[in-house]
Structure formats: structure tokens, C-alpha cells
Amino acid sequence: MRLLMLGGTGFVGGATVREALTRGWSVTVFNRGRHGAAPAGVRRLVGDRLAPDGLAALADGEWDLVVDTWDGAPRAARTVARLLDGRIGHYVYVSSGSVYAPPVPVGVTEQSPVVDADPDATEGDYPQVKAGAERALREVFGERVLLARAGLILGPGEDIGRLPWWLSRIARGGDVLAPGPADLPVQYIDVRDLAAFLLDAGSARRGGPVNVVGRPGSATFGELLDACRTVTGADARLRWVEPERILAAGVVPWNDLPIWIPPGHEWRWMQEKDVTRAYADGLRCRPLADTVADTWSWLRRVGELPSRAGRPARPPVGLDPQREAALLATPTADRTG
């Protein structure tokens, strides 16, 4: 198989390139050449979708499969698609569950409405550019494009820092604010399992939208934090605090306390998507313990989070230590674990 990876040096793109290489595929990456290095055996084409004549390196060549992680202007996605049309077998676009139009129901399926988006747009917020790119690509390829609407992505190489924040916090030890309830279901996908699905589904010429994330409830928040304690070996004491008190203190789910979205919250759907199609199409997910252990090993090796390839910097995630201490100092009846 001949793979063209648009990007290829970031979190998802890098994992996809490595997975393709383990399969013995011929891999070409196209990017600006400013971030990271291509692994041995990978052909690197340099260009910039947003620059005049920036696609010259893609003027020739044929590939069996394209995987694209673009989250910029939808117009640029369409330009690339038109250039490649007729020279590729199938196209896989790594989209996001963020494309669904609010209010999003728990158990959202691929048939749910998406945000209004312009395939010719040159700017927009994250949901708009992802939804706009989906439209642009379908205009060109129809059912020859798979729209992989990824959920929460964890694993080695994570450049946002959600799981790394919890690992680092628990590694410091002491009393750790654990947002309840402990049996809260967590829905996520390991980046390596996502990469494998992209290549499997692309090779099988799957088309249309698919929610790509593990089953809801395959792990709980308590199991996640326990796994972090296990791999770090830290003397950390989990102090479980009820969601109502956390929210009343102005703590923002997902950002201040990464991964956590409490029951009844308007964002709860982000961890309870329907994944019937993905599993029917062959999605396989490794155990939570493996994801946590491998992320900790990677984090200790690299020392700090990598920059986000080709993307603007984001505000750091995680609760300020002083705010955490203040919440833990108030009386609570929650258990310590």
C-alpha cells in the first residue's frame, strides 16, 4: 500500500506514519518541514497549503490512501482534494466529534446534525473548520472519503497534555483532588488504536462519517486515576469530591480538570457517543492500563510535552495547585482512596 500522509509529524499523524511503517507500507508525508523529522524510509515532500504554489510538491504521484489531519481553512482542504482527485484510491479525513451541532444529545450518532459550515471558508472556529472541511471533501470525493470523527485521544505523544497532567499531578503525591463520582464512565481512544483504524478502514474503502472512540464505560474515572497511581508508584491519596462542589467553585470541566465531564453537564455527550459503526467496521481498543503505562514511559523519556505541530499554542490544561488546595481544605464527606 502507498500512503500519503498530509502532516505526519504531530500526535495523530506521527502515530499513523509509524503504524503504516510497521505494516511495510510505502509512506510519503507532505508538510511544511518545520516540525520534527520523518522516520527512516519515509519520503518527505515539503509545502504549505496556504502559500502561493505551496502544493507544487504534490503535482505528481499516485497513492492508494491519503490520511489528512487538517484543521485549518476548509477551502485549503478542498484545494488539496481537487489536486489529488484521480490519483488516489481513497481519502481519510481525521475530523472531530466537535462538528455536532448543539445541543448535542448523549449517545450522539453519525446521523445527528452538524454545525453550519462553509466549505469555501478561509477561517472559523474549530467546529466550523472541521465541519467545513468535511463538506469540502465530500463535494470532491463523495463516498470515497471517510470522515473519522475522533473523540478524546490519549496515549504516547499527546500534545495537549490531558493524561500527562494527571500523571504528573499524581506523581507529585500528597492529597489529590479526585473529581467524582469515581464510577463516572470515561470514553477515549488510544492514538495507536486510532491510527490502526484509519488505515484499516481506509484500506477497506469505508466512506462517510464514523465516531471513532472506545466504548462508553469501558473505563471509569476511578480506574483512570488508580492506573496513574500504579504506574507512577506515587504516594498519592485520592480525595473524591462531589461534582456540585467542584462546579460551584468555578472549576471548568475538561480544561481545569482534564478528561472529567460530570453527569448532567452540557458537554457530557463528549464521553457518551454511539460507536456502533466504528466497532462494526473493526475498531479494536487496548486496555486503559496499557495506555496509561505507555504514556507515563513516554513522558518520563521526553521530559515535557511536545509543541503542537503546525498548530497554534493552547493554554495549558490542569487545575492551579492553589485552587486545588483550597478545594481540598473545605470540609467534605467524600472518601479518601
Side-chain angles (χ1 to χ4, degrees):
M1 288 286 288
R2 298 165 299 173
L3 171 68
L4 172 61
M5 180 74 225
L6 301 179
T9 59
F11 182 32
V12 175
T16 303
V17 167
R18 290 189 293 273
E19 175 63 23
L21 290 173
T22 65
R23 300 179 179 202
W25 289 16
S26 171
V27 180
T28 301
V29 298
F30 172 82
N31 53 54
R32 297 180 300 169
R34 301 176 184 174
H35 183 94
V42 172
R43 180 188 180 204
R44 189 171 198 172
L45 303 178
V46 177
D48 185 343
R49 301 187 201 216
L50 301 179
D53 299 321
L55 300 177
L58 292 176
D60 300 304
E62 296 183 355
W63 294 273
D64 300 301
L65 180 64
V66 177
V67 176
D68 187 2
T69 59
W70 181 247
D71 62 1
R75 178 186 293 181
R78 184 169 60 188
T79 300
V80 170
R82 287 174 173 170
L83 178 63
L84 295 174
D85 192 21
R87 296 189 285 125
I88 67 169
H90 205 69
Y91 203 102
V92 174
Y93 179 58
V94 184
S95 187
S96 167
S98 298
V99 300
Y100 291 115
V104 185
V106 167
V108 59
T109 71
E110 294 86 355
Q111 287 69 49
S112 295
V114 301
V115 298
D116 187 29
D118 182 0
D120 196 43
T122 58
E123 60 183 15
D125 60 22
Y126 185 73
Q128 289 172 328
V129 297
K130 281 295 191 182
E134 285 192 3
R135 286 189 58 192
L137 293 169
R138 294 198 80 167
E139 284 181 4
V140 177
F141 296 119
E143 288 302 307
R144 290 189 297 130
V145 58
L146 179 73
L147 308 173
R149 293 173 178 167
L152 171 63
I153 309 171
L154 304 177
E158 186 199 334
D159 53 10
I160 293 177
R162 294 187 176 102
L163 179 53
W165 185 84
W166 279 111
L167 284 162
S168 298
R169 172 61 194 92
I170 287 178
R172 294 203 309 269
D175 288 345
V176 176
L177 190 153
D183 61 357
L184 181 71
V186 174
Q187 189 178 35
Y188 73 98
I189 186 167
D190 188 294
V191 67
R192 296 163 293 182
D193 298 329
L194 172 60
F197 179 84
L198 298 176
L199 299 185
D200 289 343
S203 300
R205 305 290 179 92
R206 307 290 188 191
V210 55
N211 292 333
V212 189
V213 67
R215 298 187 192 279
S218 59
T220 67
F221 215 86
E223 290 168 344
L224 172 69
L225 299 192
D226 284 340
C228 290
R229 284 200 301 182
T230 297
V231 301
T232 60
D235 182 20
R237 296 173 295 280
L238 302 181
R239 295 274 305 278
W240 290 97
V241 179
E242 67 274 11
E244 295 78 13
R245 191 155 64 86
I246 295 173
L247 296 174
V251 172
V252 180
W254 191 254
N255 295 318
D256 291 337
L257 289 172
I259 303 173
W260 177 71
I261 304 176
H265 194 275
E266 62 178 315
W267 299 339
R268 184 60 208 164
W269 65 270
M270 295 170 63
Q271 300 220 322
E272 295 190 39
K273 303 184 190 77
D274 182 272
V275 291
T276 302
R277 181 186 170 185
Y279 277 87
D281 285 350
L283 177 63
R284 297 179 298 276
C285 294
R286 69 195 67 206
L288 172 70
D290 291 354
T291 298
V292 173
D294 293 345
T295 302
W296 178 239
S297 295
W298 162 79
L299 189 61
R300 286 189 297 169
R301 185 174 69 253
V302 300
E304 60 182 12
L305 294 183
S307 60
R308 305 183 71 229
R311 300 175 182 179
R314 292 173 53 118
V317 298
L319 193 63
D320 178 85
Q322 292 182 337
R323 293 182 70 195
E324 180 189 23
L327 273 164
L328 290 174
T330 58
T332 176
D334 298 309
R335 69 177 179 85
T336 300

